[in-house]
Amino acid sequence: MGRGKVELKRIENKINRQVTFAKRRNGLLKKAYELSVLCDAEVALIIFSSKGKLYEFCSTSSMSKAVERYHRCSYGHIEANQSPDNDQNTYEEYLKLKERAEILQQSQRHVLGEDLAQLDIKELDQLEHILDGTLKRTRSMKNHSLCDKLSDLQQKERSLMELNAALMNKLEGSSAPLESTCQLQHELKAQYQLPYFLDPNNTPEIRRYDSIVAADNVGDNANGMIMREWMQ
């Protein structure tokens, strides 16, 4: 029976993973050596383990020379394209951008009303036309914002008026029970008043109390007359 196909995925078991790394690393280094010997090729192999340990093989005497050769072959054409002419073009583009930035800054100062003495009549007319257009657009945007805000306030006013009308209707509907409640309170208060607030004509106790008070007043008057005569 042939050997089964191995699924290429990370080995979860740490020990098995380390054993597999050691076996395949040695096999890869052996294959690189055999390739350099059998085919007279310059081979450079660099391996880093999961812990960052370095393993390398180079068929020449120096790995740095092999890496430098690789760098020249991979990035040499890019460095070759960066000629002095290219540097000159970059510098010229920088000067153009710098000049454009200065023009924009000067235009900004003119819009703010600064450095206007160096402008002639034509340039001042152009600046006035630009400012008029800017002012019109600003006023239009301001009026649009004010109209939107006014519309929102009117909508809020209508909502509050509708709420006020609903509350008034509810209050008018509950006014009749409120009047009956007030009448009942007045009747209860009249029933529980003190005797001297009642009608004396309909209450015998009050007439008796009034006669007793009158008799006391007569006695006091008589005693007063006797005291005045004795003192004289």
Side-chain angles (χ1 to χ4, degrees), residues 78-110:
I78 299 177
E79 295 177 355
N81 292 331
Q82 295 178 355
S83 59
D85 295 335
N86 190 15
D87 295 338
Q88 183 66 25
N89 295 332
T90 304
Y91 181 72
E92 291 177 359
E93 185 177 0
Y94 160 74
L95 293 178
K96 290 180 181 179
L97 292 175
K98 182 179 179 181
E99 183 179 0
R100 185 178 179 182
E102 291 177 354
I103 293 173
L104 291 175
Q105 290 177 358
Q106 187 176 6
S107 300
Q108 184 180 7
R109 289 195 298 270
H110 292 165

Short mmCIF file of all heavy atoms in Angstrom, two decimals, residues 78-110:
data_model
loop_
_atom_site.label_atom_id
_atom_site.label_comp_id
_atom_site.label_asym_id
_atom_site.label_seq_id
_atom_site.Cartn_x
_atom_site.Cartn_y
_atom_site.Cartn_z
N ILE A 78 14.95 49.34 -10.01
CA ILE A 78 14.24 50.47 -9.42
C ILE A 78 15.21 51.60 -9.09
O ILE A 78 14.93 52.78 -9.35
CB ILE A 78 13.49 50.01 -8.15
CG1 ILE A 78 12.47 48.93 -8.50
CG2 ILE A 78 12.81 51.19 -7.46
CD1 ILE A 78 11.75 48.35 -7.32
N GLU A 79 16.36 51.26 -8.55
CA GLU A 79 17.35 52.29 -8.24
C GLU A 79 17.93 52.89 -9.51
O GLU A 79 18.28 54.08 -9.56
CB GLU A 79 18.46 51.68 -7.39
CG GLU A 79 17.98 51.21 -6.02
CD GLU A 79 19.10 50.54 -5.23
OE1 GLU A 79 20.19 50.36 -5.82
OE2 GLU A 79 18.88 50.20 -4.06
N ALA A 80 18.02 52.07 -10.56
CA ALA A 80 18.56 52.60 -11.82
C ALA A 80 17.63 53.62 -12.44
O ALA A 80 18.08 54.57 -13.09
CB ALA A 80 18.81 51.45 -12.79
N ASN A 81 16.31 53.42 -12.25
CA ASN A 81 15.36 54.37 -12.82
C ASN A 81 15.39 55.72 -12.11
O ASN A 81 14.97 56.73 -12.68
CB ASN A 81 13.94 53.79 -12.74
CG ASN A 81 13.77 52.60 -13.67
OD1 ASN A 81 14.44 52.50 -14.71
ND2 ASN A 81 12.89 51.67 -13.30
N GLN A 82 15.87 55.76 -10.89
CA GLN A 82 15.97 57.02 -10.15
C GLN A 82 17.26 57.74 -10.54
O GLN A 82 18.25 57.78 -9.84
CB GLN A 82 15.94 56.75 -8.65
CG GLN A 82 14.62 56.17 -8.16
CD GLN A 82 14.63 55.87 -6.68
OE1 GLN A 82 15.66 56.03 -6.03
NE2 GLN A 82 13.48 55.48 -6.15
N SER A 83 17.22 58.31 -11.74
CA SER A 83 18.38 59.00 -12.31
C SER A 83 18.40 60.46 -11.87
O SER A 83 17.42 60.97 -11.31
CB SER A 83 18.33 58.91 -13.83
OG SER A 83 17.14 59.50 -14.31
N PRO A 84 19.48 61.18 -12.14
CA PRO A 84 19.51 62.61 -11.81
C PRO A 84 18.42 63.40 -12.52
O PRO A 84 17.93 64.41 -11.99
CB PRO A 84 20.91 63.04 -12.27
CG PRO A 84 21.73 61.79 -12.18
CD PRO A 84 20.79 60.67 -12.56
N ASP A 85 18.02 62.96 -13.73
CA ASP A 85 16.94 63.66 -14.41
C ASP A 85 15.64 63.56 -13.63
O ASP A 85 14.86 64.52 -13.55
CB ASP A 85 16.76 63.06 -15.82
CG ASP A 85 17.98 63.30 -16.70
OD1 ASP A 85 18.71 64.28 -16.42
OD2 ASP A 85 18.20 62.52 -17.64
N ASN A 86 15.44 62.37 -13.06
CA ASN A 86 14.24 62.20 -12.24
C ASN A 86 14.27 63.11 -11.02
O ASN A 86 13.25 63.70 -10.64
CB ASN A 86 14.12 60.73 -11.83
CG ASN A 86 12.78 60.42 -11.19
OD1 ASN A 86 11.84 61.20 -11.32
ND2 ASN A 86 12.69 59.29 -10.51
N ASP A 87 15.43 63.26 -10.40
CA ASP A 87 15.55 64.17 -9.26
C ASP A 87 15.28 65.60 -9.67
O ASP A 87 14.64 66.36 -8.94
CB ASP A 87 16.94 64.04 -8.64
CG ASP A 87 17.18 62.66 -8.05
OD1 ASP A 87 16.18 61.97 -7.74
OD2 ASP A 87 18.35 62.25 -7.90
N GLN A 88 15.76 65.97 -10.87
CA GLN A 88 15.53 67.32 -11.36
C GLN A 88 14.04 67.58 -11.60
O GLN A 88 13.52 68.65 -11.26
CB GLN A 88 16.32 67.54 -12.66
CG GLN A 88 16.21 68.96 -13.23
CD GLN A 88 16.85 69.99 -12.33
OE1 GLN A 88 17.75 69.67 -11.54
NE2 GLN A 88 16.39 71.23 -12.44
N ASN A 89 13.37 66.58 -12.17
CA ASN A 89 11.93 66.73 -12.39
C ASN A 89 11.17 66.86 -11.08
O ASN A 89 10.21 67.65 -10.97
CB ASN A 89 11.40 65.53 -13.18
CG ASN A 89 11.97 65.46 -14.58
OD1 ASN A 89 12.33 66.50 -15.16
ND2 ASN A 89 12.07 64.26 -15.13
N THR A 90 11.60 66.10 -10.09
CA THR A 90 10.95 66.20 -8.78
C THR A 90 11.14 67.57 -8.17
O THR A 90 10.20 68.15 -7.59
CB THR A 90 11.51 65.12 -7.85
OG1 THR A 90 11.34 63.83 -8.44
CG2 THR A 90 10.81 65.14 -6.50
N TYR A 91 12.32 68.14 -8.31
CA TYR A 91 12.60 69.46 -7.76
C TYR A 91 11.78 70.53 -8.48
O TYR A 91 11.24 71.46 -7.85
CB TYR A 91 14.09 69.76 -7.86
CG TYR A 91 14.48 71.09 -7.29
CD1 TYR A 91 14.47 71.31 -5.92
CD2 TYR A 91 14.86 72.15 -8.14
CE1 TYR A 91 14.83 72.54 -5.39
CE2 TYR A 91 15.23 73.37 -7.62
CZ TYR A 91 15.21 73.55 -6.24
OH TYR A 91 15.55 74.78 -5.72
N GLU A 92 11.67 70.39 -9.80
CA GLU A 92 10.87 71.35 -10.56
C GLU A 92 9.40 71.28 -10.16
O GLU A 92 8.72 72.32 -10.06
CB GLU A 92 11.04 71.09 -12.06
CG GLU A 92 12.44 71.43 -12.58
CD GLU A 92 12.58 71.10 -14.05
OE1 GLU A 92 11.60 70.58 -14.64
OE2 GLU A 92 13.66 71.36 -14.62
N GLU A 93 8.90 70.07 -9.94
CA GLU A 93 7.52 69.94 -9.50
C GLU A 93 7.32 70.55 -8.12
O GLU A 93 6.28 71.18 -7.85
CB GLU A 93 7.14 68.45 -9.47
CG GLU A 93 5.69 68.19 -9.13
CD GLU A 93 5.35 66.71 -9.17
OE1 GLU A 93 6.25 65.90 -9.47
OE2 GLU A 93 4.17 66.37 -8.90
N TYR A 94 8.32 70.41 -7.27
CA TYR A 94 8.24 71.02 -5.94
C TYR A 94 8.17 72.55 -6.05
O TYR A 94 7.39 73.20 -5.34
CB TYR A 94 9.45 70.60 -5.12
CG TYR A 94 9.75 71.49 -3.94
CD1 TYR A 94 8.95 71.45 -2.79
CD2 TYR A 94 10.82 72.39 -3.98
CE1 TYR A 94 9.22 72.28 -1.72
CE2 TYR A 94 11.09 73.21 -2.91
CZ TYR A 94 10.29 73.16 -1.79
OH TYR A 94 10.56 73.99 -0.74
N LEU A 95 8.97 73.12 -6.97
CA LEU A 95 8.95 74.58 -7.15
C LEU A 95 7.59 75.06 -7.66
O LEU A 95 7.08 76.10 -7.23
CB LEU A 95 10.06 74.99 -8.11
CG LEU A 95 11.50 74.80 -7.61
CD1 LEU A 95 12.50 75.21 -8.69
CD2 LEU A 95 11.75 75.59 -6.33
N LYS A 96 6.98 74.28 -8.57
CA LYS A 96 5.67 74.66 -9.09
C LYS A 96 4.62 74.63 -7.99
O LYS A 96 3.79 75.55 -7.88
CB LYS A 96 5.28 73.72 -10.23
CG LYS A 96 6.11 73.89 -11.50
CD LYS A 96 5.65 72.92 -12.57
CE LYS A 96 6.50 73.06 -13.83
NZ LYS A 96 6.08 72.11 -14.89
N LEU A 97 4.66 73.59 -7.17
CA LEU A 97 3.69 73.50 -6.08
C LEU A 97 3.90 74.63 -5.07
O LEU A 97 2.93 75.18 -4.54
CB LEU A 97 3.81 72.14 -5.40
CG LEU A 97 3.38 70.93 -6.22
CD1 LEU A 97 3.68 69.64 -5.46
CD2 LEU A 97 1.91 71.01 -6.59
N LYS A 98 5.14 74.98 -4.83
CA LYS A 98 5.43 76.06 -3.88
C LYS A 98 4.91 77.39 -4.42
O LYS A 98 4.31 78.19 -3.68
CB LYS A 98 6.94 76.13 -3.64
CG LYS A 98 7.34 77.20 -2.63
CD LYS A 98 8.84 77.20 -2.41
CE LYS A 98 9.24 78.28 -1.42
NZ LYS A 98 10.70 78.31 -1.21
N GLU A 99 5.11 77.62 -5.72
CA GLU A 99 4.62 78.87 -6.33
C GLU A 99 3.10 78.94 -6.29
O GLU A 99 2.51 79.99 -6.01
CB GLU A 99 5.12 78.95 -7.77
CG GLU A 99 4.72 80.25 -8.48
CD GLU A 99 5.26 80.29 -9.90
OE1 GLU A 99 5.92 79.31 -10.31
OE2 GLU A 99 5.01 81.30 -10.58
N ARG A 100 2.45 77.80 -6.54
CA ARG A 100 0.99 77.77 -6.50
C ARG A 100 0.47 78.03 -5.09
O ARG A 100 -0.53 78.75 -4.91
CB ARG A 100 0.50 76.41 -6.99
CG ARG A 100 -1.02 76.31 -7.10
CD ARG A 100 -1.43 74.96 -7.65
NE ARG A 100 -2.88 74.85 -7.74
CZ ARG A 100 -3.51 73.76 -8.15
NH1 ARG A 100 -2.80 72.68 -8.51
NH2 ARG A 100 -4.81 73.73 -8.20
N ALA A 101 1.16 77.49 -4.09
CA ALA A 101 0.75 77.73 -2.71
C ALA A 101 0.89 79.21 -2.34
O ALA A 101 0.03 79.77 -1.65
CB ALA A 101 1.57 76.86 -1.76
N GLU A 102 1.95 79.86 -2.83
CA GLU A 102 2.13 81.28 -2.55
C GLU A 102 1.03 82.11 -3.21
O GLU A 102 0.52 83.08 -2.62
CB GLU A 102 3.50 81.73 -3.04
CG GLU A 102 4.66 81.15 -2.23
CD GLU A 102 6.01 81.56 -2.80
OE1 GLU A 102 6.02 82.20 -3.87
OE2 GLU A 102 7.04 81.23 -2.17
N ILE A 103 0.63 81.72 -4.44
CA ILE A 103 -0.45 82.46 -5.12
C ILE A 103 -1.75 82.32 -4.36
O ILE A 103 -2.51 83.29 -4.19
CB ILE A 103 -0.58 81.94 -6.57
CG1 ILE A 103 0.67 82.31 -7.37
CG2 ILE A 103 -1.83 82.52 -7.23
CD1 ILE A 103 0.70 81.70 -8.77
N LEU A 104 -2.04 81.12 -3.88
CA LEU A 104 -3.27 80.90 -3.12
C LEU A 104 -3.27 81.69 -1.81
O LEU A 104 -4.29 82.26 -1.41
CB LEU A 104 -3.44 79.40 -2.83
CG LEU A 104 -3.75 78.52 -4.05
CD1 LEU A 104 -3.77 77.05 -3.64
CD2 LEU A 104 -5.07 78.90 -4.68
N GLN A 105 -2.13 81.75 -1.15
CA GLN A 105 -2.04 82.53 0.08
C GLN A 105 -2.24 84.02 -0.19
O GLN A 105 -2.91 84.73 0.58
CB GLN A 105 -0.69 82.28 0.75
CG GLN A 105 -0.53 80.88 1.32
CD GLN A 105 0.85 80.64 1.91
OE1 GLN A 105 1.71 81.52 1.85
NE2 GLN A 105 1.07 79.46 2.47
N GLN A 106 -1.69 84.50 -1.31
CA GLN A 106 -1.87 85.90 -1.66
C GLN A 106 -3.33 86.21 -1.99
O GLN A 106 -3.88 87.25 -1.59
CB GLN A 106 -0.98 86.25 -2.85
CG GLN A 106 -0.97 87.73 -3.20
CD GLN A 106 0.00 88.03 -4.33
OE1 GLN A 106 0.56 87.11 -4.93
NE2 GLN A 106 0.19 89.30 -4.63
N SER A 107 -3.99 85.28 -2.69
CA SER A 107 -5.41 85.47 -3.00
C SER A 107 -6.25 85.49 -1.72
O SER A 107 -7.20 86.28 -1.60
CB SER A 107 -5.90 84.36 -3.92
OG SER A 107 -5.17 84.35 -5.14
N GLN A 108 -5.90 84.67 -0.77
CA GLN A 108 -6.60 84.66 0.50
C GLN A 108 -6.44 85.99 1.23
O GLN A 108 -7.39 86.52 1.80
CB GLN A 108 -6.12 83.51 1.37
CG GLN A 108 -6.87 83.36 2.69
CD GLN A 108 -6.37 82.20 3.52
OE1 GLN A 108 -5.36 81.57 3.17
NE2 GLN A 108 -7.04 81.91 4.61
N ARG A 109 -5.24 86.55 1.20
CA ARG A 109 -5.03 87.86 1.83
C ARG A 109 -5.84 88.94 1.13
O ARG A 109 -6.38 89.85 1.79
CB ARG A 109 -3.54 88.20 1.80
CG ARG A 109 -2.70 87.35 2.76
CD ARG A 109 -1.32 87.96 2.95
NE ARG A 109 -0.57 88.01 1.69
CZ ARG A 109 0.23 87.05 1.26
NH1 ARG A 109 0.38 85.94 1.99
NH2 ARG A 109 0.89 87.16 0.12
N HIS A 110 -5.96 88.88 -0.20
CA HIS A 110 -6.76 89.87 -0.93
C HIS A 110 -8.23 89.76 -0.55
O HIS A 110 -8.92 90.78 -0.40
CB HIS A 110 -6.58 89.66 -2.44
CG HIS A 110 -5.19 90.00 -2.91
ND1 HIS A 110 -4.71 89.62 -4.14
CD2 HIS A 110 -4.18 90.69 -2.32
CE1 HIS A 110 -3.47 90.05 -4.30
NE2 HIS A 110 -3.12 90.69 -3.18
#
